[in-house]
């Protein structure tokens, strides 16, 4: 079965520092890959997604992620953290076989940004 | 409305009580999903509707859970005889695509936080 692993349930960075949130998936066939952000008391918002084509995907708010098939990874990065980036981030996949309509989420990583 | 609306935002139920959670998707969105998010976990898929048809209910945890979307717009998730393990945030999402989330974004509501005491 498909699964998504997010390494680190909590990540803390200084304002202006690099943000790196890790995501690995398990699949023999590369799925479609997503990153969602959840701000307090708000719904999930799509940051970016990888379906086909270029493996480096740019999203909103300066975030980007790179699909690496050899490493089964889709890590999320941002060169310089801002206080407003503090939120919970979820990596998700849509399996290409059978579960075309289901997002399978990781457990999430809570990002804290300190001055 | 501008986004996916869920009501109530918070619900406290006594164990054994029945509850009904409402989702108003974005107007015209064909696909509608329900997810369950337990504390400290990622959302888990419950069920999927394409218009009024429930095409996938494989994620519903027991026969106490029932979802409907009779006119292809508003959906209701009903939980009968609630148990403490049902305590979670229930998220609704909608998408304009008939292929679910494959090619288009799913828009999520703020969720309903259910606490069973």
């Amino acid at each position: 079965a498909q699964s998504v692993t997010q390494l680190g349930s909590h990540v803390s960075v200084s304002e202006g520092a690099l943000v790196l949130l890790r995501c690995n998936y398990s699949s023999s066939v590369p799925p479609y890959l997503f990153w969602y952000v959840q701000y307090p008391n708000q719904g999930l918002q799509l940051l970016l997604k990888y379906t086909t084509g270029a493996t480096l995907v740019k999203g909103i708010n300066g975030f980007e992620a790179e699909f690496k098939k050899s490493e089964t990874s889709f890590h999320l990065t941002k060169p310089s953290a801002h206080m407003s980036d503090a939120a919970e981030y979820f990596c998700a996949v849509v399996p290409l076989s059978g579960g075309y309509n289901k997002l399978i989420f990781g457990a999430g990583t809570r990002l804290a940004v300190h001055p | 409305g501008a986004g996916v609306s869920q009501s109530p935002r918070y619900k406290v139920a006594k164990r054994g009580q029945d509850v009904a959670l409402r989702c108003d998707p974005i107007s015209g969105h064909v696909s509608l999903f329900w997810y369950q998010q337990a504390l400290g976990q990622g959302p888990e898929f419950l069920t999927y509707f394409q218009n009024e048809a429930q095409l996938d209910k494989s994620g519903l945890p027991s026969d106490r859970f029932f979802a409907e979307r009779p006119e292809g717009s508003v959906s209701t998730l009903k939980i009968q005889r609630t148990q403490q393990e049902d305590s979670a945030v229930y998220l609704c999402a909608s998408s304009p695509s008939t292929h679910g989330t494959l090619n288009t974004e799913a828009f999520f509501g703020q969720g309903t936080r259910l606490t069973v005491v």
Side-chain angles (χ1 to χ4, degrees):
Chain A
Q2 284 276 0
S3 67
V4 178
T5 301
Q6 292 185 240
L7 294 175
S9 58
H10 290 81
V11 170
S12 182
V13 300
S14 300
E15 192 174 17
L18 171 72
V19 175
L20 171 60
L21 305 182
R22 300 178 186 273
C23 172
N24 289 87
Y25 65 91
S26 67
S27 173
S28 57
V29 176
Y32 286 12
L33 295 153
F34 302 76
W35 275 99
Y36 280 85
V37 60
Q38 188 174 36
Y39 298 102
N41 297 317
Q42 295 190 26
L44 291 161
Q45 181 182 6
L46 181 67
L47 270 179
L48 49 79
K49 66 180 178 183
Y50 168 79
T51 54
T52 59
T55 57
L56 182 62
V57 180
K58 294 186 184 299
I60 61 171
N61 302 336
F63 284 94
E64 61 183 36
E66 185 171 11
F67 168 59
K68 291 187 177 181
K69 182 179 177 180
S70 62
E71 298 177 8
T72 61
S73 70
F74 191 55
H75 301 330
L76 182 71
T77 60
K78 181 173 180 178
S80 176
H82 192 272
M83 297 295 288
S84 61
D85 294 328
E88 185 136 28
Y89 292 80
F90 293 94
C91 181
V93 303
V94 170
L96 295 185
S97 58
Y100 68 95
N101 55 341
K102 302 174 191 178
L103 281 163
I104 298 174
F105 286 90
T109 298
R110 185 168 298 277
L111 175 66
V113 182
H114 52 86
Chain B
V4 178
S5 178
Q6 293 187 244
S7 61
R9 288 292 316 281
Y10 303 91
K11 175 69 179 178
V12 178
K14 291 184 178 179
R15 191 169 53 183
Q17 188 178 357
D18 297 350
V19 298
L21 311 180
R22 178 187 170 102
C23 173
D24 282 86
I26 294 173
S27 179
H29 278 197
V30 171
S31 294
L32 185 144
F33 310 83
W34 283 98
Y35 289 84
Q36 180 190 58
Q37 186 175 15
L39 188 64
Q41 300 295 318
E44 292 193 0
F45 172 82
L46 293 177
T47 187
Y48 165 61
F49 289 87
Q50 183 175 308
N51 296 308
E52 69 279 3
Q54 188 175 21
L55 298 186
D56 188 340
K57 55 182 180 180
S58 61
L60 296 176
S62 77
D63 59 7
R64 295 187 295 105
F65 286 70
F66 172 76
E68 60 183 4
R69 193 187 185 197
E71 297 179 357
S73 55
V74 171
S75 177
T76 304
L77 176 67
K78 297 179 179 178
I79 309 173
Q80 296 177 322
R81 305 180 303 282
T82 52
Q83 303 295 316
Q84 282 192 320
E85 61 263 28
D86 300 335
S87 295
V89 175
Y90 291 85
L91 297 170
C92 177
S94 70
S95 167
S97 169
T98 57
H99 294 91
T101 54
L102 199 59
N103 289 313
T104 59
E105 179 179 353
F107 295 85
F108 283 81
Q110 293 177 284
T112 294
R113 182 178 297 278
L114 173 65
T115 303
V116 181
V117 298

